[in-house]
Amino acid sequence: MPTNKTPFTFNLEDEYLQKMKLIAKEETRSLSNLLEHLCRLHISQYEKKHGLIEIN
């Protein structure tokens, strides 16, 4: 099944990674899905405060 998601790699403190993995497991999500969900939440909060971010 094709996807429109772009792979992305970043550096993260090991402590944060371990905690995120635990949270993902408790929420029955993949780590990738949890991180995408958190990005969506942060963008939504940011846009409520600063206005819609226009993407060209």
Side-chain angles (χ1 to χ4, degrees):
M1 173 189 281
T3 180
N4 64 347
K5 296 180 180 183
T6 304
F8 182 77
T9 303
F10 64 100
N11 298 314
L12 186 64
E13 294 284 337
D14 188 56
E15 176 185 356
Y16 298 155
L17 178 59
Q18 296 307 315
K19 289 180 179 185
M20 294 303 292
K21 285 181 178 180
L22 204 158
I23 293 167
K25 184 176 180 179
E26 288 181 2
E27 294 186 2
T28 319
R29 297 177 182 263
S30 67
L31 179 58
S32 178
N33 181 269
L34 175 62
L35 294 172
E36 184 176 6
H37 173 69
L38 293 172
C39 286
R40 249 190 323 271
L41 287 177
H42 184 69
I43 290 168
S44 176
Q45 290 172 356
Y46 183 92
E47 288 182 328
K48 283 178 186 174
K49 183 176 181 181
H50 301 281
L52 184 65
I53 299 170
E54 295 290 333
I55 304 296
N56 298 331

